Amino acid sequence: MPYEEKAKLTAARALVPVAILAISPVLLIAGAPVRRRYLRYVYRDEAPAILDKEQGRISVHWLVVTSPLLAWLCWPTEALAHLISSRG
């Protein structure tokens, strides 16, 4: 969405945390694999850029990827995965 579409950008900024909170039980249980798969999807080779300053476009994916709430909810399973991998 172009930067000029401030209403859509404001709505996306408000709804991304709501959506993350709605799936928070899943993220607390299986956050690490879900987040890794989502990041692979967003940053795949044929995917459009999530932030294109030259054309003035920003993707909703950028709001999700940079969300501290998502990182915080995925932290327990990330820590558990790190602990398991360091023991093995």
Side-chain angles (χ1 to χ4, degrees), residues 3 10 14-15 25 28-29 34 39-40 42-43 57 60 64 71:
Y3 292 128
T10 303
L15 293 177
L28 286 171
I29 294 171
V34 170
L39 291 175
R40 274 196 308 259
V42 170
Y43 291 117
R57 298 189 67 77
V60 174
V64 175

Side-chain angles (χ1 to χ4, degrees), residues 23-35 72-78 80-81:
I23 63 166
S24 63
V26 173
L27 292 175
L28 286 171
I29 294 171
V34 170
R35 186 170 187 229
W72 184 75
L73 287 172
C74 292
W75 178 79
T77 53
E78 289 284 350
L80 184 61

Side-chain angles (χ1 to χ4, degrees), residues 1-16 49-53 55-63:
M1 72 184 80
Y3 292 128
E4 293 83 30
E5 297 178 3
K6 295 196 186 275
K8 286 184 183 178
L9 185 59
T10 303
R13 282 187 181 163
L15 293 177
V16 164
I50 60 173
L51 184 62
D52 190 2
K53 290 183 180 181
Q55 294 183 1
R57 298 189 67 77
I58 184 171
S59 172
V60 174
H61 297 296
W62 183 80
L63 297 171

